[in-house]
Amino acid sequence: MAINAAELEIFKNLFHSVAEEMGAALRRSAFSPNIKERRDYSCAVFDGAARVVAMGDHMPVHLGSMPMSVAAAIHALDLGPGDIAILNDPYAGGTHLPDVTLVMPVFLARSGKDRKGSRTSLPVFYVASRAHHSDIGGAQPASMGLSEEIYQEGLRIPPVILARNGKIQRDILALVLANVRTPDERKGDLAAQVASCRLGERRLTELLIKYGEHKTGIYLEALQNYSSRLMREALARIPAGIYRAEDFLDDDGYSQSSVRLRVAIHIKHRRATVDFTGSSPAQRGSVNAVLAITYSAVFYVFRCLLGEDVPACSGLMAPIELRVPEGSVVNAKPPAAVAAGNVETSQRIVDVLLRALAQALPGSIPAASSGTMNNLSFGGIYPSGTPGEGQPFAYYETIAGGMGARPYADGLSAIHTHMTNSLNTPIEALESAYPVRVRSYSIRRGSGGRGRFHGGDGIIREMEFLTDIRGSILSDRRRIQPYGLEGGEPGKAGNNFLTLSGSGSRKLKLPSKTVFNARVGSILRIESPGGGGWGEPTPRKSAGTQLKGK
């Protein structure tokens, strides 16, 4: 059957629309502000071989790693019609424990078995939804604190069946809910994920009925080949050579030593080898990234070399080989702690990859963005007089920063960049759901690096706690500034401050990664980093002088 270009575009858009509709359903039916307000979730469609076919416009750190979770679920379980698997194990394709993934097969017919109980067909598709749950147990509220091993970070779920033939397995659900601080919210968010997967199943079944399994299968394969060809063409435009770079995380939360990430990108014959040899070994703290995270960051960066209309298929990675030393900070092994590897190390992997590619493609790569998700989490007990009086609460958010300047324009201010694609929690939603008062929320003027084009500014987020809390911060770029390119200045590093309440209140400067206790009335202030500048700064025009050139 000949491939028709117009029909190929139709199938690409249809698969993408399914992933997008799944995400919309998840967001609108979720319970937690982290999902319904901040959009901390992702949905995707996979073919019967567990190759990603389409991704929603959601979070890159989720999406690039999700194929490994789908593959782990398929390998571990015999999924039949109506079944849904659940997992969050970072060492089985996950990212960190709060990111819970559901996987569901899609068959052409729901019957699916003969009289002997043997399956009559294999899944044509799989759908998956991943959402960051605001608490998954562990030592700290919201499950994003300092940790030295994964067992401190929360409930670790290997691939298991959450729903069998359309019915939720109550024992599995009860096991999950018994290990979290906010079971009602978790139950609601999991129900939203289940509904999202079932919606995806319905839409893909409708597509199969309309176009037929044979034709759909041909275009599924064509999309993989098409995306692979586009990536090879993009690599062909990069001069052959080896491009090296390194960058650093401030620390791992326990030691003051910086953590090296080193990469060498080999470009040759329309192929790329991305080699992380020389990166630091796995750390005591939770900055360790599992292989799925490193793969996800590489997928994101190389996809950025292509246009927005390129299908986000597994075929994009066909010409790209990864070499990631086992036991390193970018390929950690159990029982290494990984909570910050997903959110902080993923950002630094992007930074070091772009720094290397800036040598290969001068004038095309932006300066470093803020390079951190500025993760803030806290929890406690709702005070008397509030709707949840006496009940535990747990809150998590990422805080935006400055975008790196581009070769043709200033960076944007107060925006989530690279591996996060989430939104802020609106002040109204934050104050109505939790015992806090936002004291200040503004752009941190002058924090972007100067250059021919300036880096975007970070933000200031200041909040007062209206009850006693235990909080955690996982952040970076507090010592090592986001780099500029082509002579541009670096962005300003970030800061974390806590003003303790009571007589003789003190203002403490907090480390980049820390756990803290705060009494009612204490004030936390986060100043996020700005982005790096691009190009030599042009002289400022002064009275009585005239600038030459640009």
Side-chain angles (χ1 to χ4, degrees):
M1 177 179 172
I3 301 299
N4 181 283
E7 282 197 312
L8 186 67
E9 184 71 13
I10 289 171
F11 273 96
K12 184 198 77 171
N13 292 335
L14 284 171
F15 295 138
H16 179 259
S17 69
V18 172
E20 281 287 284
E21 190 178 0
M22 288 174 64
L26 173 55
R27 182 180 185 184
R28 291 172 182 172
S29 54
F31 277 40
S32 66
N34 191 53
I35 298 174
K36 66 184 180 183
E37 301 287 356
R38 290 192 55 254
R39 207 175 65 178
D40 198 344
Y41 64 82
S42 298
C43 298
V45 176
F46 301 79
D47 66 14
R51 297 177 301 179
V52 66
V53 175
M55 300 174 174
D57 297 328
H58 302 145
M59 300 190 72
V61 74
H62 287 171
L63 293 165
S65 57
M66 205 183 292
M68 292 188 184
S69 285
V70 175
I74 296 170
H75 178 75
L77 305 169
D78 181 20
L79 294 172
D83 294 351
I84 300 177
I86 182 174
L87 69 157
N88 73 345
D89 189 352
Y91 296 105
T95 49
H96 58 182
L97 297 181
D99 285 343
V100 178
T101 304
L102 302 191
V103 180
M104 186 177 191
V106 180
F107 294 83
L108 180 57
R110 284 298 298 267
S111 57
K113 292 190 178 181
D114 61 21
R115 288 186 218 169
K116 297 180 180 179
S118 300
R119 193 137 52 244
T120 58
S121 62
L122 295 174
V124 183
F125 295 103
Y126 292 89
V127 292
S129 69
R130 174 173 288 172
H132 184 115
H133 286 252
S134 297
D135 188 86
I136 198 68
Q140 307 297 335
S143 315
M144 286 291 289
L146 286 178
S147 51
E148 299 177 72
E149 56 182 6
I150 196 168
Y151 310 114
Q152 298 172 332
E153 296 184 331
L155 178 65
R156 183 176 167 195
I157 309 170
V160 293
I161 299 291
L162 176 64
R164 176 70 76 184
N165 197 24
K167 295 181 179 179
I168 297 295
Q169 304 296 290
R170 297 190 180 278
D171 52 349
I172 297 297
L173 181 61
L175 179 63
V176 173
L177 300 182
N179 284 279
V180 298
R181 295 173 176 84
T182 51
D184 289 343
E185 189 176 84
R186 301 286 65 73
K187 185 178 181 180
D189 286 347
L190 282 172
Q193 285 186 261
V194 169
S196 171
C197 286
R198 287 174 174 165
L199 174 63
E201 181 201 30
R202 289 199 303 274
R203 293 292 181 262
L204 290 170
T205 300
E206 293 166 1
L207 187 151
L208 285 169
I209 292 171
K210 180 176 181 179
Y211 292 99
E213 186 174 359
H214 177 68
K215 183 174 183 178
T216 301
I218 288 174
Y219 276 94
L220 281 171
E221 195 64 35
L223 282 170
Q224 298 292 349
N225 295 335
Y226 177 53
S227 61
S228 175
R229 187 169 68 252
L230 289 175
M231 180 58 76
R232 293 180 192 279
E233 290 174 359
L235 295 175
R237 293 192 291 271
I238 302 175
I242 302 176
Y243 305 98
R244 306 178 189 275
E246 65 178 23
D247 204 341
F248 297 84
L249 293 163
D250 291 340
D251 54 67
D252 73 340
Y254 289 94
S255 166
Q256 291 300 305
S257 300
S258 56
V259 181
R260 175 185 287 109
L261 275 74
R262 180 177 287 166
V263 72
I265 301 176
H266 303 241
I267 303 292
K268 187 177 181 180
H269 301 319
R270 299 158 64 94
R271 296 189 59 85
T273 301
V274 183
D275 189 348
F276 289 92
T277 299
S279 297
S280 291
Q283 302 293 297
R284 175 186 176 189
S286 65
V287 297
N288 304 296
V290 294
L291 181 60
I293 291 295
T294 303
Y295 179 94
S296 185
V298 173
F299 181 96
Y300 164 77
V301 167
F302 279 86
R303 186 186 175 196
C304 285
L305 299 179
L306 305 173
E308 292 183 5
D309 59 343
V310 171
C313 298
S314 293
L316 290 175
M317 290 294 284
I320 301 172
E321 177 188 354
L322 268 66
R323 295 178 183 172
V324 193
E326 286 195 8
S328 67
V329 72
V330 289
N331 188 6
K333 297 300 175 185
V338 298
N342 175 54
V343 288
E344 297 303 295
T345 308
S346 67
Q347 297 284 60
R348 196 64 69 254
I349 296 171
V350 170
D351 288 343
V352 74
L353 288 169
L354 290 176
R355 200 170 200 169
L357 287 172
Q359 303 167 36
L361 299 168
S364 301
I365 304 297
S369 293
S370 59
T372 173
M373 297 192 197
N374 301 291
N375 303 268
L376 170 63
S377 53
F378 56 83
I381 303 297
Y382 282 107
S384 59
T386 61
E389 179 177 345
Q391 296 299 310
F393 66 88
Y395 177 69
Y396 169 75
E397 74 168 329
T398 57
I399 299 174
M403 175 194 286
R406 295 158 284 181
Y408 53 86
D410 293 343
L412 301 178
S413 297
I415 188 170
H416 290 82
T417 53
H418 294 320
M419 297 305 282
T420 176
N421 189 29
S422 55
L423 305 176
N424 75 159
T425 305
I427 293 172
E428 299 84 355
L430 178 56
E431 292 185 342
S432 66
Y434 301 97
V436 298
R437 179 181 297 118
V438 177
R439 298 280 298 262
S440 175
Y441 193 28
S442 61
I443 293 178
R444 187 185 174 206
R445 302 292 182 187
S447 55
R450 292 178 62 245
R452 184 188 313 165
F453 297 107
H454 294 347
D457 290 329
I459 69 171
I460 296 171
R461 182 88 145 159
E462 190 174 74
M463 61 181 69
E464 178 183 357
F465 300 112
L466 305 182
T467 189
D468 296 348
I469 64 99
R470 183 164 178 80
S472 303
I473 296 174
L474 294 176
S475 62
D476 210 79
R477 294 296 197 198
R478 268 43 182 179
R479 290 193 297 115
I480 301 171
Q481 299 165 268
Y483 60 79
L485 282 179
E486 301 293 332
E489 296 177 356
K492 285 187 177 179
N495 294 296
N496 307 321
F497 296 104
L498 178 64
T499 302
L500 300 172
S501 63
S503 58
S505 22
R506 296 177 297 147
K507 184 176 183 179
L508 307 175
K509 186 169 184 178
L510 300 177
S512 63
K513 302 164 188 70
T514 188
V515 174
F516 62 93
N517 293 307
R519 299 292 303 275
V520 57
S522 298
I523 298 171
L524 179 70
R525 180 184 175 95
I526 306 288
E527 299 177 356
S528 65
W534 199 97
E536 293 282 351
T538 55
R540 293 188 178 276
K541 185 176 181 180
S542 58
T545 63
Q546 183 174 354
L547 286 176
K548 294 182 179 180
K550 290 185 179 179

